[in-house]
């Protein structure tokens, strides 16, 4: 299949996913807002948002691994692909531990000196924070598998996983409506459960389908690759984290001056903004693997042609 046709087909898969998930996600927001109420929904957005913003880092981290993986595929070097995968697993394992330690330390400061949450809901908010921290760790650990799927241009799988995630979140929201216990705590728990479940699906699929997904860091570890990938990911991380801090800083300011109800309104606006931002991200997701593979194969004319087609 020609590269331009492949990009067009993969873009179609991703935009089809987006067309479905946009409506499901926006409806889910309405359902969960009604179920939790403005106060608890605002708590979830300010507390969970402290960690949910970190999921944006996955895009930059996965892009770094995918770039190296796609380039190696273009070169046709299977052993190098295994080394890249294992370096990525080690790298993101270290990042996950560092982020968990950072979140636990920052959580103590946020809950004691920053967040404005009603005293009666502080314990529930702390539990939601812990669930969100666990979710973040598993999300970071899934980055190498996201990168492999993207490098293989398996956008149909991305579309399927995205639709499954949206439907699971809708099911949880509808279940929470009829729950008798603390709805906020249960909602945080099931959001973490969905992240873990989706990671397991990625792991099982990749290890069964792709030969480079072999976890043997001692056998396949490459120190030079580790330095290159750390440097590449570091610059991507710097750009993404600066935007993340700026966006979440707004949430803290809103919470400080207006309380959790204003955070609820901001959470709804964030859902709409996020779906709109997916328009450009979707196209790049289909385009980037082909660009890196073409350059890795030494076919610069194809790389330029695909760039122009994408533009």
């Amino acid at each position: 299949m020609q590269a331009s046709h492949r990009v067009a087909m993969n873009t179609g898969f991703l935009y089809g996913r987006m067309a479905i998930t946009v409506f499901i996600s926006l409806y889910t927001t309405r359902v969960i807002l009604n179920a939790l109420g403005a106060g608890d929904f605002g708590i979830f957005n300010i507390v969970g948002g402290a960690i949910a913003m970190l999921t944006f880092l996955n895009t930059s981290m996965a892009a770094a691994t995918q770039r190296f993986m796609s380039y190696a595929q273009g070169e046709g070097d299977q052993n190098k692909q295994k080394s890249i995968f294992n370096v990525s697993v080690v790298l993101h394992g270290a990042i996950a531990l560092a982020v968990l330690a950072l979140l636990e330390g920052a959580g103590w400061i946020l809950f004691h000196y920053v967040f404005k949450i009603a005293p009666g809901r502080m314990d529930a908010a702390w539990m939601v924070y812990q669930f969100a921290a666990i979710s973040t760790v598993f999300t970071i650990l899934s980055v190498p598998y996201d990168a492999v799927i993207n490098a293989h241009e398996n956008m149909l799988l991305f579309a399927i996983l995205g639709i499954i995630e949206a439907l699971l979140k809708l099911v949880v929201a509808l279940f929470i409506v009829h729950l008798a216990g603390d709805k906020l705590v249960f909602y945080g728990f099931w959001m973490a459960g969905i992240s873990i479940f989706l990671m397991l699906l990625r792991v099982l699929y990749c290890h069964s389908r792709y030969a480079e997904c072999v976890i043997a860091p001692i056998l396949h570890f490459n120190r030079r690759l580790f330095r290159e990938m750390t440097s590449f990911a570091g610059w991507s991380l710097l750009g993404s984290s600066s935007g993340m801090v700026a966006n979440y800083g707004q949430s803290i300011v809103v919470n400080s001056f207006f309380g959790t109800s204003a955070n609820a309104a901001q959470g709804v606006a964030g859902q709409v903004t996020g779906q709109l931002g997916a328009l450009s991200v979707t196209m790049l997701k289909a385009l980037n693997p082909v660009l890196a593979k073409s350059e890795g194969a030494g076919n610069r004319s194809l790389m330029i042609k695909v760039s122009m087609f994408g533009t």
Side-chain angles (χ1 to χ4, degrees):
M1 185 184 296
Q2 291 185 357
S4 57
H5 292 166
R6 195 162 63 247
V7 171
M9 183 180 69
N10 286 332
T11 304
F13 286 142
L14 293 172
Y15 276 121
R17 160 195 160 171
M18 191 176 68
I20 296 171
T21 58
V22 162
F23 293 105
I24 296 176
S25 298
L26 294 178
Y27 180 70
T28 300
T29 301
R30 175 184 176 181
V31 173
I32 202 64
L33 175 59
N34 289 334
L36 297 180
D40 277 2
F41 186 73
I43 290 174
F44 183 82
N45 277 283
I46 185 65
V47 174
I51 297 171
M53 291 301 298
L54 288 171
T55 59
F56 289 109
L57 299 182
N58 269 28
T59 303
S60 62
M61 291 190 293
T65 303
Q66 176 263 308
R67 179 262 185 194
F68 282 88
M69 188 70 73
S70 295
Y71 197 93
Q73 286 180 6
E75 293 177 321
D77 192 336
Q78 184 72 56
N79 289 327
K80 187 175 181 180
Q81 292 176 50
K82 291 180 179 179
S83 294
I84 291 169
F85 176 76
N86 279 274
V87 167
S88 182
V89 169
V90 172
L91 179 61
H92 288 92
I95 291 173
L97 291 175
V99 167
L100 181 61
L102 176 65
L103 289 175
E104 292 301 326
W108 190 88
I109 297 173
L110 290 171
F111 276 85
H112 283 81
Y113 301 106
V114 179
F115 290 154
K116 287 191 174 180
I117 298 172
R121 301 302 292 151
M122 191 62 77
D123 289 341
W126 178 250
M127 290 186 68
V128 169
Y129 187 85
Q130 296 303 314
F131 290 139
I134 293 170
S135 175
T136 300
V137 167
F138 278 93
T139 301
I140 292 172
L141 292 175
S142 70
V143 167
Y145 297 95
D146 279 331
V148 169
I149 295 169
N150 200 16
H152 282 276
E153 302 177 62
N154 193 347
M155 301 307 160
L156 177 59
L157 179 61
F158 269 120
I160 293 172
L161 290 174
I163 293 171
I164 290 174
E165 180 180 7
L167 289 174
L168 286 175
K169 288 181 177 179
L170 176 59
V171 170
V172 169
L174 294 172
F175 173 74
I176 293 294
V177 171
H178 304 288
L179 193 68
D182 193 318
K183 296 180 179 180
L184 178 61
V185 173
F186 276 98
Y187 184 61
F189 172 79
W190 285 111
M191 288 299 101
I194 289 173
S195 296
I196 296 171
F197 174 71
L198 290 172
M199 180 196 167
L200 291 176
L201 288 181
R202 288 176 171 87
V203 170
L204 292 173
Y205 184 90
C206 288
H207 281 285
S208 65
R209 290 292 300 273
Y210 302 131
E212 64 267 31
C213 292
V214 177
I215 298 181
I218 296 177
L219 179 62
H220 295 291
F221 190 79
N222 185 308
R223 187 170 295 177
R224 183 183 61 81
L225 267 175
F226 183 81
R227 287 197 300 268
E228 289 181 4
M229 291 177 66
T230 301
S231 175
F232 192 94
W235 285 110
S236 299
L237 203 61
L238 178 63
S240 299
S241 59
S242 60
M244 179 197 74
V245 171
N247 288 330
Y248 187 62
Q250 296 174 20
S251 299
I252 292 178
V253 172
V254 168
N255 179 253
S256 297
F257 285 94
F258 305 107
T260 54
S261 295
N263 286 120
Q266 189 185 30
V268 174
Q271 285 286 334
V272 178
T273 303
Q275 297 300 330
L276 291 175
L279 286 168
S280 59
V281 173
T282 296
M283 169 58 83
L284 289 174
K285 198 176 193 69
L287 201 64
N288 286 338
V290 183
L291 294 175
K293 282 182 183 178
S294 302
E295 185 66 17
N299 192 346
R300 181 157 293 182
S301 62
L302 176 59
M303 187 269 287
I304 295 173
K305 179 181 178 181
V306 173
S307 298
M308 296 303 295
F309 174 79
T311 303

